[in-house]
Amino acid sequence: MYWHDLDNWPHFRREVMDAFRYQHQRKLLWLSALGQRRTIDRLLGFLTLLIEEYGEPAMSDTDPDVIRGYCLPFPLTHAQIGSAIGSTRVTVTRLMGKLRQRGLILTQGDNLICLPAESINRAS
């Protein structure tokens, strides 16, 4: 299919353009997050974007009807995160501790990284 063929199907063309627009906006968000000067900002932006895209709801231990937060469905090592944001494992470990103390991130189960539900609601 060629671009000029999309003129024959305006609805399909709109769907394709919306998909491109969405992907472009997501890439700009990733570039913005990973372009932050402070490592803690890059780390929090990276985790937020990952959880927004792949996160799954984590239910509260006390009330199963309440969403506690959103977690990545896969574990990430601090070395992997450091490599992704241009930092070291040691720095990521230290900053993850700071984010945990501030209540900006949680860990659950097999060291799955979670964001509290309130922080996701504020970001949207």
Side-chain angles (χ1 to χ4, degrees):
M1 178 172 281
Y2 296 98
W3 282 109
H4 67 273
D5 293 334
L6 290 176
D7 292 334
N8 297 330
W9 299 293
H11 179 71
F12 184 60
R13 177 187 174 96
R14 187 174 30 258
E15 293 292 324
V16 168
M17 296 307 281
D18 287 346
F20 279 137
R21 188 176 303 107
Y22 175 78
Q23 287 298 316
H24 181 69
Q25 288 171 342
R26 292 303 298 177
K27 285 184 184 2
L28 289 175
L29 285 172
W30 277 101
L31 287 171
S32 172
L34 296 177
Q36 294 295 312
R37 186 184 247 346
R38 294 178 37 200
T39 308
I40 196 164
D41 295 333
R42 284 197 312 270
L43 174 61
L44 188 57
F46 175 74
L47 295 175
T48 301
L49 287 172
L50 269 183
I51 291 173
E52 282 177 358
E53 286 193 30
Y54 303 107
E56 297 175 349
M59 306 316 272
S60 172
D61 297 332
T62 56
D63 186 358
D65 293 331
V66 174
I67 294 177
R68 175 178 173 226
Y70 295 88
C71 296
L72 285 175
F74 47 83
L76 284 175
T77 67
H78 291 183
Q80 290 169 324
I81 296 169
S83 177
I85 66 170
S87 187
T88 64
R89 182 207 55 83
V90 175
T91 300
V92 169
T93 301
R94 182 175 48 80
L95 293 177
M96 292 280 280
K98 282 185 179 182
L99 292 174
R100 224 178 265 112
Q101 284 176 341
R102 295 179 189 169
L104 296 174
I105 63 168
L106 311 164
T107 52
Q108 177 176 309
D110 298 327
N111 290 324
L112 298 178
I113 300 169
C114 307
L115 288 178
E118 307 85 47
S119 64
I120 294 290
N121 293 338
R122 269 185 267 141
S124 11

